[in-house]
Amino acid sequence: MHRTQYGHDDHAYDDHAYYDRGYDGHAYDEHAGDYEPSRDEPYLPGARPRLRPRRRRLALGAAALVTLALLPVAVDRVVAARIESRTAKAFQQGMGTPEAPEVEVRGFPVVTQAASGALRHVDITAHDIPAHGSARPLPVSELSLRLDGLTKADDDSEARARSARASAFLSYPDVSGALGLEISQGDRPGRVSAVVLLPLSRQVTVTTTVSAVSGNRIAFEDFEVTGGSLPAAGSAILDRIFERPIRLRNIPDGLRLRSVTTTADGLDAEFTGRSVTFRPEQA
């Protein structure tokens, strides 16, 4: 290597070139704030890439599209909630329940259904529906309704479903109160057990068949003594108790009782109907 008389290499010493290089040997750019690493160059620890204007516009556009897509859903949910609230209030007023029922308007969008004047599907679940106007009232512990094609009158005097299915649960304590006997599940499906109190602290157990009859009535027939001895007078009393079916008076107009089944806790009654009507003033 050739050296000058001053002991330096023969390459020209350029202090500008020296100071224009960083510690890693890369050329220093006085506009370092605008520096963006290449795709092959990893970002420095803790550094965040800057969005280019085009990328920023794309991100804002995507966010706007998402907002526009979700807006109709939010509006539809608000409309559905308002309809559900008004329906629950009207049902509570008409059926005399202590609390407003649970109401769900199904199908999307609800806005177009409301605009057409008919809701395609509405589910209602009510509890503790009292029985009025009956010598032997039988409350409904729970009533579940599935309504199709629900419309309402212009003056809000009534609502009408094109068709409906319903199930009602009648607890044994309520059935016992209606019959005046202690009722429980029987020894066979479709039968209930009744305890008859006799003089001198005696009691007799009988079972009877439960069935649905016309007029939304529940019939108790063909009772049999399964425990104890029933005198003739007691048999006559049971005949009078069971000869008249119990009518369910707290069911919306148009529903027809189709079947009654026994469970461990009470009776399950199934209904179907067309042109089922609800009137706020019917209570």
Side-chain angles (χ1 to χ4, degrees):
M1 176 182 298
H2 177 71
R3 302 180 63 89
T4 64
Q5 61 177 338
Y6 298 101
H8 295 290
D9 296 336
D10 56 358
H11 292 289
Y13 181 83
D14 188 349
D15 57 349
H16 291 289
Y18 178 82
Y19 286 107
D20 285 347
R21 293 183 179 274
Y23 69 92
D24 57 354
H26 290 287
Y28 177 81
D29 186 355
E30 64 179 350
H31 301 291
D34 295 331
Y35 172 78
E36 292 190 6
S38 67
R39 292 186 178 181
D40 297 330
E41 182 178 358
Y43 296 114
L44 295 178
R48 297 182 61 187
R50 296 184 178 182
L51 287 176
R52 296 180 179 179
R54 185 170 179 273
R55 293 181 182 177
R56 187 179 295 111
R57 287 195 298 271
L58 290 176
L60 293 176
L65 289 176
V66 172
T67 301
L68 291 176
L70 293 179
L71 183 60
V73 177
V75 172
D76 199 73
R77 185 60 253 174
V78 170
V79 173
R82 182 175 181 182
I83 293 174
E84 291 167 353
S85 177
R86 295 181 63 183
T87 302
K89 182 178 180 181
F91 188 95
Q92 181 183 17
Q93 179 183 353
M95 303 303 294
T97 58
E99 297 181 358
E102 303 164 12
V103 179
E104 180 183 2
V105 178
R106 295 185 291 121
F108 180 85
V110 175
V111 172
T112 57
Q113 297 181 52
S116 69
L119 302 176
R120 291 196 295 271
H121 306 290
V122 179
D123 293 341
I124 300 176
T125 302
H127 301 273
D128 302 323
I129 303 176
H132 300 287
S134 174
R136 296 191 297 175
L138 178 54
V140 174
S141 299
E142 180 177 298
L143 178 67
S144 298
L145 295 157
R146 294 179 66 89
L147 310 175
D148 297 329
L150 184 65
T151 60
K152 69 179 183 66
D154 294 336
D155 58 358
D156 290 338
S157 60
E158 67 177 31
R160 186 183 302 271
R162 182 183 66 254
S163 62
R165 299 182 64 87
S167 61
F169 174 71
L170 314 167
S171 70
Y172 284 133
D174 288 336
V175 177
S176 300
L179 289 175
L181 300 171
E182 183 181 343
I183 303 297
S184 60
Q185 188 177 26
D187 56 350
R188 298 192 301 273
R191 295 181 70 86
V192 296
S193 176
V195 176
V196 182
L197 299 179
L198 299 175
L200 303 177
S201 300
R202 292 189 302 151
Q203 65 181 32
V204 175
T205 303
V206 301
T207 61
T208 178
T209 300
V210 181
S211 60
V213 294
S214 61
N216 286 351
R217 298 179 301 166
I218 299 176
F220 301 86
E221 302 171 318
D222 304 325
F223 71 85
E224 300 175 356
V225 178
T226 57
S229 177
L230 184 66
S235 180
I237 292 174
L238 288 180
D239 282 336
R240 288 197 299 269
I241 292 175
F242 293 136
E243 69 179 356
R244 290 189 303 112
I246 296 180
R247 181 181 177 185
L248 298 176
R249 298 180 179 272
N250 42 4
I251 300 299
D253 294 340
L255 285 175
R256 298 291 178 263
L257 180 61
R258 304 301 182 186
S259 65
V260 178
T261 57
T262 58
T263 70
D265 301 315
L267 304 179
D268 283 338
E270 298 295 328
F271 301 81
T272 60
R274 293 189 174 277
S275 190
V276 178
T277 306
F278 304 84
R279 295 185 178 88
E281 73 280 1
Q282 74 181 73

